[in-house]
Amino acid sequence: MCSLALVPADYTQMKINQMENKTMEGLQIVVCGTLVPDPLQTLEPVTTPTGPGLKNETMLPSVLDPWAAHSLYEAANLAKKVPGSKVYLVSLGPKAKLQQLMMTVAQKVPFELVAIDGTAGGFTDAMEVAKTLATAIEAIPGLDKTRLLVFGGCASASRDAGVTMQLIGEQLGITDQFVGVDEISMSDDGSFSVLERIEGGQYLASTCAGAPAVLAWATGSLPEPPNNPQVGMANMRFVMPALQKAQPAAVGVGGINFEKSEVPAQKRATRIVKDVSADVIAAEIVEWIKG
Amino acid sequence: MADILLVLHTGSDGSFSKGALESIATTVDLSSKLGGSFAVGVIGAGAGAAADTIAGCGAEKFYVVEDEAVAAPRYSSDVKAATALIQKAGAQIVLAPGSSRFARCMPGAAYRAGAQIDTHIVALAVEAGVLKAQRWYYRQRILTTLSRAARPWVLLIEGGIQPAWQGAAGVADAESVAVEFTDAELRTTIKGIESPATDAQTIRPDAALLFVAGAGWTKKQADGAYHIRDASNLIQGFLKKAGASLGSSKSLVDLQSDGQETLSFMSHMNQVGQTGTTPRHAKGLSTCCHGEEPHAVGWRFINERRAINMDANCGWAQGKADVVYIANAFEVIAKVNELLG
Ligand SMILES: Cc1cc2nc3c(=O)[nH]c(=O)nc-3n(C[C@H](O)[C@H](O)[C@H](O)COP(=O)(O)OP(=O)(O)OC[C@H]3O[C@@H](n4cnc5c(N)ncnc54)[C@H](O)[C@@H]3O)c2cc1C
């Protein structure tokens, strides 16, 4: 509380309190992420009436899109550090598959799910996906853009375009955006610094005055959290209702005409070198390197 | 009005990167296939002088934005500058190299310019007057050819798909495009570039050889013991002597985040594969790796490929590598280092 007659020292303290209040209010971290086929599956493209798809797409086991998963773990970690923060996971995918995915993902970190029922396939147009996600974010009750950080992967393992997060940001009117993020450090005044991956294994280091911002993550630095049944139980209270009220979204290939989609035959005639001494192999490798 | 706009940015030294020069070659090629003209827009410090260095590329017009605000990469200022260039040039097709700077800002610029965007383009062709682009989906697993009727169409071009353009410098006589930046667009301050210490710099995009290390380096060996320090010395010795770039499997770098003793000079930045990178090098040598990711995905853009593995049944390397050596990588790399001197 501030006194009526402000002396400079009081004023400074008041400003500090205001800043602290800002972060004390906490962040709203909205993570955009959905399912992709488990990378160990063999993928075969097929033509469907709505454009290309994957053979047995609905049957393929799925995982949470890896870079989006990293951003979810980073979001939870950040929320823990900034009291009063909350994490939302906004997922566009077939309801039944999202439900399956949540059996594992919901045990990792605390979040509230916002589900949208539609395809999670890679051949959809990023503009349509971004519009759907931005609309869902805008509709989160109590959304406060002054506290909003939108997280997600820097690219999906399906479309792999690396454009969706920027398009979401544009639709939400957020002009501070970071792509390929490996680190965020928050200051008490709500400003933060970011490391983004750039060429040649280097980082671009920036600071931003504060939320709102979009951060499209690379791997970050956190390992995958172990399953925690208590976290799972708490999340599930929101997951089931969120899935029940998931609105259908008509997301498709948009204006893309796919002329061809194929898995190019890449089989090489591999020469196996066996029962040969390390000396001989080393000499051959050196010759090859120098050649 | 030109049919194609090529958007480039300068580097911190005011020059163009190899990727930028490659995208000039792609633009010259596409322009001749479409039978039209092209313009070049340059963003960044020293954009006007940089435009002069490519004056002989055949562009009918050059535009530049060289405001202090775009001296360093920042989403909010770059997106505004790129949008201004796209709108000023009024071209139907917009090409740009897929650098980290443009990968960040071009989607937003396309959105603001009412354009469509596709990224990671590995080939462009014109068939019966229709522009067709090739790109991979599902992380280098499914190759597609696609087209779009809507214009403008922004295409970010992958590195390494064309040799770099070479040609005469001259006077580009570039038109400066005025862009005003508000305080709200300067809320992000660029602090600079952080690079690892020189001897720790293991990612070398220009190296001829990619050396991929797998988790096998940190596994128990035939004597029942771990040899992590030996592995570390052997790999670092090899990188130095062969001037190679270092890639890693996910399993190897994950060990590090899990807090296990492993190779301290590696990070997720080194990881190749589905959730890593797919670097371009003339040659690749994988060691102590099993699995599809390092071999199929991580190697997608590697021309000549060899692997060293103790496991003769490592099915992923077979059919993907030109040669697989069934041998102990510790022994082979020690010998290779000796021979490299
Ligand atoms: C969502 C998801 C995303 C993934 N993304 C990626 C990715 O981007 N990149 C990636 O690499 N993986 C990725 N993976 C993991 C991938 O599926 C494999 O598990 C991983 O690549 C295997 O790593 P590795 O080959 O280093 O280790 P291992 O499978 O443990 O293989 C070690 C090999 O080393 C050999 N070896 C041991 N000692 C020696 C010796 N002295 N000399 C020679 N050989 C030796 C062994 O024979 C063995 O073949 C992902 C997995 C998931 C679920």
Side-chain angles (χ1 to χ4, degrees):
Chain A
M1 197 169 296
C2 57
S3 65
L4 286 173
L6 288 175
V7 292
D10 291 332
Y11 180 73
T12 311
Q13 189 54 48
M14 187 190 81
K15 287 309 273 183
I16 291 170
N17 291 346
Q18 276 177 355
M19 288 173 188
E20 279 176 356
N21 278 341
K22 189 178 170 205
T23 43
M24 287 302 283
E25 264 184 298
L27 296 162
Q28 294 179 337
I29 313 176
V30 177
V31 179
C32 301
T34 190
L35 46 93
V36 294
D38 185 317
L40 301 178
Q41 299 297 312
T42 302
L43 305 181
E44 198 183 313
V46 291
T47 305
T48 77
T50 53
L54 299 175
K55 192 172 173 187
N56 299 328
E57 189 154 356
T58 53
M59 315 286 286
L60 288 172
S62 333
V63 295
L64 182 59
D65 200 348
W67 276 314
H70 289 297
S71 82
L72 178 64
Y73 310 148
E74 294 284 346
N77 187 47
L78 182 58
K80 241 194 295 180
K81 290 187 192 158
V82 182
S85 298
K86 184 164 178 179
V87 176
Y88 299 84
L89 174 62
V90 179
S91 281
L92 164 65
K95 225 176 184 173
K97 294 205 83 175
L98 281 179
Q99 185 174 348
Q100 260 173 14
L101 182 74
M102 287 306 137
M103 296 298 167
T104 49
V105 174
Q107 295 200 48
K108 299 290 177 192
V109 294
F111 62 81
E112 188 173 321
L113 178 70
V114 177
I116 311 150
D117 190 16
T119 174
F123 297 108
T124 47
D125 189 18
M127 288 275 185
E128 291 196 359
V129 172
K131 196 168 165 208
T132 305
L133 294 174
T135 307
I137 295 170
E138 291 272 22
I140 291 175
L143 186 82
D144 174 357
K145 283 195 187 157
T146 64
R147 300 158 59 197
L148 177 64
L149 294 182
V150 184
F151 277 25
C154 59
S156 68
S158 48
R159 188 181 315 107
D160 186 25
V163 307
T164 309
M165 296 307 298
Q166 296 92 314
L167 297 175
I168 292 171
E170 284 295 320
Q171 294 184 51
L172 295 174
I174 301 175
T175 52
D176 287 288
Q177 300 204 18
F178 305 90
V179 176
V181 176
D182 263 348
E183 193 179 298
I184 182 170
S185 330
M186 291 299 290
S187 303
D188 290 343
D189 64 358
S191 68
F192 57 87
S193 53
V194 176
L195 290 182
E196 288 168 276
R197 289 187 185 187
I198 55 168
E199 285 76 11
Q202 295 182 310
Y203 281 118
L204 180 67
S206 326
T207 57
C208 179
V214 170
L215 286 89
W217 284 80
T219 38
S221 57
L222 302 171
E224 180 175 337
N227 286 351
N228 180 335
Q230 269 172 334
V231 169
M233 300 269 274
N235 281 344
M236 276 308 185
R237 284 189 295 131
F238 297 103
V239 166
M240 294 320 287
L243 287 166
Q244 270 155 14
K245 63 176 188 224
Q247 294 294 312
V251 173
V253 297
I256 312 173
N257 306 312
F258 284 98
E259 315 255 337
K260 207 167 22 160
S261 42
E262 56 182 347
V263 180
Q266 291 248 340
K267 198 142 177 68
R268 297 190 177 206
T270 307
R271 175 165 64 93
I272 312 275
V273 179
K274 223 162 115 169
D275 303 325
V276 174
S277 75
D279 286 8
V280 173
I281 292 173
E284 190 177 304
I285 289 175
V286 169
E287 196 184 323
W288 171 65
I289 291 172
K290 289 185 169 169
Chain B
M1 192 184 292
D3 305 286
I4 304 173
L5 170 70
L6 168 66
V7 188
L8 301 173
H9 63 78
T10 54
S12 52
D13 62 354
S15 71
F16 289 123
S17 67
K18 187 163 156 258
L21 298 174
E22 289 168 4
S23 69
I24 297 176
T26 304
T27 306
V28 171
D29 188 38
L30 179 65
S31 174
S32 80
K33 284 178 182 153
L34 285 172
S37 59
F38 72 94
V40 174
V42 187
I43 296 170
D52 286 343
T53 67
I54 55 165
C57 70
E60 69 166 34
K61 175 99 188 144
F62 289 87
Y63 303 97
V64 291
V65 179
E66 48 188 344
D67 191 284
E68 179 58 29
V70 292
R74 168 181 34 214
Y75 180 83
S76 50
S77 38
D78 283 353
V79 74
K80 202 165 188 184
T83 308
L85 287 175
I86 295 171
Q87 288 171 339
K88 178 81 187 175
Q92 300 277 292
I93 305 292
V94 179
L95 302 182
S99 62
S100 62
R101 185 169 186 174
F102 279 162
R104 185 188 303 108
C105 76
M106 277 299 180
Y111 178 84
R112 291 185 190 188
Q116 309 296 309
I117 181 163
D118 288 290
T119 56
H120 299 296
I121 302 300
V122 293
L124 289 172
V126 179
E127 284 169 29
V130 178
L131 172 60
K132 296 183 178 179
Q134 255 189 7
R135 71 176 300 268
W136 292 86
Y137 279 76
Y138 290 93
R139 293 292 289 161
Q140 284 75 40
R141 284 161 185 237
I142 297 174
L143 183 61
T144 63
T145 304
L146 56 89
S147 63
R148 287 181 185 264
R151 299 288 185 267
W153 186 12
V154 179
L155 297 131
L156 294 199
I157 312 297
E158 281 288 272
I161 66 165
Q162 280 265 5
W165 175 84
Q166 289 180 317
V171 180
D173 198 15
E175 178 181 339
S176 180
V177 177
V179 184
E180 278 186 26
F181 299 96
T182 64
D183 285 349
E185 284 154 348
L186 304 174
R187 281 175 12 113
T188 293
T189 309
I190 311 303
K191 294 291 174 198
I193 288 174
E194 285 188 12
S195 5
T198 337
D199 59 344
Q201 178 55 291
T202 55
I203 299 172
R204 304 180 178 118
D206 293 330
L209 177 70
L210 174 73
F211 178 90
V212 184
W217 284 104
T218 56
K219 299 251 159 93
K220 260 188 201 162
Q221 293 300 309
D223 59 1
Y226 296 101
H227 293 274
I228 292 174
R229 187 160 304 161
D230 291 345
S232 181
N233 291 338
L234 286 171
I235 295 171
Q236 283 184 294
F238 178 83
L239 294 176
K240 216 166 170 181
K241 287 168 196 264
S245 188
L246 177 63
S248 165
S249 72
K250 183 175 189 296
S251 301
L252 183 53
V253 282
D254 277 356
L255 292 175
Q256 200 160 23
S257 348
D258 290 344
Q260 291 188 36
E261 190 194 354
T262 179
L263 308 170
S264 58
F265 51 92
M266 314 189 105
S267 73
H268 276 113
M269 298 268 262
N270 294 96
Q271 185 185 319
V272 298
Q274 179 154 209
T275 43
T277 58
T278 36
R280 283 174 193 270
H281 297 274
K283 295 174 187 177
L285 177 63
S286 104
T287 53
C288 303
C289 283
H290 176 79
E292 181 184 15
E293 299 295 339
H295 290 127
V297 184
W299 261 359
R300 179 71 74 198
F301 303 122
I302 305 293
N303 304 340
E304 295 178 34
R305 311 161 180 178
R306 298 193 179 198
I308 308 174
N309 198 318
M310 299 248 279
D311 178 6
N313 297 318
C314 175
W316 286 115
Q318 289 179 28
K320 301 285 181 237
D322 303 311
V323 185
V324 180
Y325 300 101
I326 311 302
N328 185 333
F330 282 82
E331 290 172 16
V332 175
I333 297 300
K335 202 72 208 163
V336 166
N337 285 352
E338 241 177 79
L339 293 173
L340 286 173

